[in-house]
């Protein structure tokens, strides 16, 4: 099961401050543990939203709107992520609980989200197709 540990941005990360050496070392050790356990798929930090671009779709069917950062709501932003492949939701929570405060300064917050995988998507598509076929059979010709 794939899970993404989403490191939420903070005022500190949005100002472009890099973690101190103590936090860097703690995160390095944490990432080494993930790799040794064979669960880490990918891990990356993101530049502040001042370097970001947001594309939004305010009107269905119309051209998207491009907005340059920075974006003001840091609690809604992402500072980085780690993608892990584990056996269960519980194991994903255990790994998330072991992560050091990713922002330091008591500002860290992690969101843990399961990633849709191919077998789940295929199953959903098959159920949707079945529903459509049943629905079509009920319509008068």
């Amino acid at each position: 099961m794939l899970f993404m540990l989403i490191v939420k941005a903070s005022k500190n990360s949005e100002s472009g401050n890099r973690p101190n050496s103590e936090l860097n070392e703690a995160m390095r050790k944490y990432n080494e543990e993930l790799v040794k356990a064979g669960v880490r798929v990918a891990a990356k930090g993101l530049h502040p939203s001042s370097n970001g671009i947001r594309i939004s779709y305010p009107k269905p069917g119309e051209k998207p709107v491009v907005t340059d950062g920075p974006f003001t709501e840091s609690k809604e932003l992402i500072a980085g992520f780690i993608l892990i492949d584990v056996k269960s939701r519980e194991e994903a929570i255990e790994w998330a609980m072991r992560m050091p405060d990713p922002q330091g300064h008591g500002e860290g917050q992690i969101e843990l989200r399961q990633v849709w995988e191919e077998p789940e998507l295929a199953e959903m598509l098959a159920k949707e197709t079945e529903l459509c076929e049943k629905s079509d059979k009920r319509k008068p010709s």
Side-chain angles (χ1 to χ4, degrees):
M1 301 174 80
L2 288 175
F3 281 86
M4 182 175 282
L5 287 75
I6 301 167
V7 176
K8 302 298 251 179
S10 67
K11 290 179 184 176
N12 194 46
S13 68
E14 277 297 292
S15 64
N17 292 336
R18 302 287 302 146
N20 63 33
S21 59
E22 187 176 287
L23 180 53
N24 273 334
E25 180 62 17
M27 288 302 287
R28 185 189 63 72
K29 286 180 180 178
Y30 175 70
N31 274 285
E32 280 181 0
E33 290 175 19
L34 291 169
V35 170
K36 284 179 185 174
V39 299
R40 192 180 104 166
V41 176
K44 296 292 178 185
L46 303 175
H47 284 263
S49 71
S50 57
N51 292 339
I53 300 163
R54 181 172 286 161
I55 299 168
S56 56
Y57 300 82
K59 296 182 183 175
E62 290 191 15
K63 187 175 180 178
V65 176
V66 176
T67 307
D68 290 325
F71 307 114
T72 55
E73 288 296 320
S74 65
K75 67 181 181 180
E76 301 297 326
L77 300 174
I78 298 170
F81 69 91
I82 299 175
L83 187 63
I84 59 175
D85 190 355
V86 293
K87 292 180 179 66
S88 67
R89 181 177 193 268
E90 292 74 21
E91 184 181 357
I93 293 169
E94 287 174 21
W95 279 111
M97 295 292 291
R98 292 170 66 178
M99 181 188 281
D101 175 352
Q103 295 294 342
H105 315 288
E107 295 181 330
Q109 185 179 21
I110 303 166
E111 184 175 330
L112 184 61
R113 303 274 300 272
Q114 187 171 357
V115 177
W116 286 108
E117 296 185 66
E118 185 59 38
E120 294 170 300
L121 294 174
E123 183 180 326
M124 285 175 41
L125 183 58
K127 286 180 182 178
E128 181 63 27
T129 301
E130 183 181 324
L131 284 173
C132 288
E133 287 172 356
K134 286 180 182 178
S135 177
D136 289 344
K137 288 179 183 177
R138 291 185 184 161
K139 290 181 183 176
S141 300

